[in-house]
Amino acid sequence: MPDEPLAAHSLAEAYLYLMATPCGVCGRGPLEGTDPYPEKRDESEVLLNLKVTCASCGHHQNSTFRIPADAASTSTDAPPVVNQSDEPSRIIDVAQWITLFRAITEVAGREKNKREARRLGIEAAMCLEEALKFYDEDNDLPPSEALFHENSRNRLRDYPEQFSRQRLINLRRKLPSMSIMMQRLKRGQGKKRPWWRFGR
């Protein structure tokens, strides 16, 4: 990962970035981040540092994210908001959002705790919404600038059907609305755990 702080829209996006990014040493992962600690804070943004470990090879590193001050909360009282703006991510590309949606949906399908399954459903829906932010309304495939990595570009070339905007919209329509999912989550009972620990 680069030494410069990575610009994320929220702490949730920073943790999703770790999930979507292979280890720079072994090429596998997943990367797991500790609870964040602030390096610098002002009225507009926070620099948060995470100690990151590769679950495959054990490589350790520090990663710093630049996050808007109002989006750097670690509260467990509500599901995370990944990106309140209409701007697409600058650190997770469209292919990675689609992969994250699939991975989180699979975890949700195995989750026996209904509250956690609903929380994961919300997170999966947010990943689809983030992917859709890269698209132009008059084009069913994403623009070239929506693909940050060679692997992503190869995937679009080999499997363009996975990137169909209409396909993503149809997947999103199969999920309950965000307001319904939030209401169900609020009604649910059970022990809370930090949302960034969902797979562990």
Side-chain angles (χ1 to χ4, degrees), residues 7-10 13 82-94 97 126-136 142-143 145-148:
H9 291 97
S10 66
E13 186 177 3
V82 174
N83 180 1
Q84 294 180 339
S85 76
D86 293 328
E87 178 189 51
S89 175
R90 286 168 280 175
I91 58 175
I92 304 173
D93 74 9
V94 64
W97 283 119
M126 288 181 183
C127 289
L128 277 183
E129 291 176 359
E130 292 306 308
L132 286 165
K133 288 179 182 179
F134 285 98
Y135 288 75
D136 299 322
E145 57 267 25
L147 302 154
F148 306 160

Side-chain angles (χ1 to χ4, degrees), residues 178-196:
M178 197 68 71
S179 61
I180 290 174
M181 288 192 287
M182 294 286 275
Q183 289 172 4
R184 289 175 180 170
L185 184 64
K186 288 177 182 177
R187 289 199 302 266
Q189 300 295 322
K191 184 179 179 181
K192 295 177 182 176
R193 60 179 171 178
W195 44 261
W196 61 88

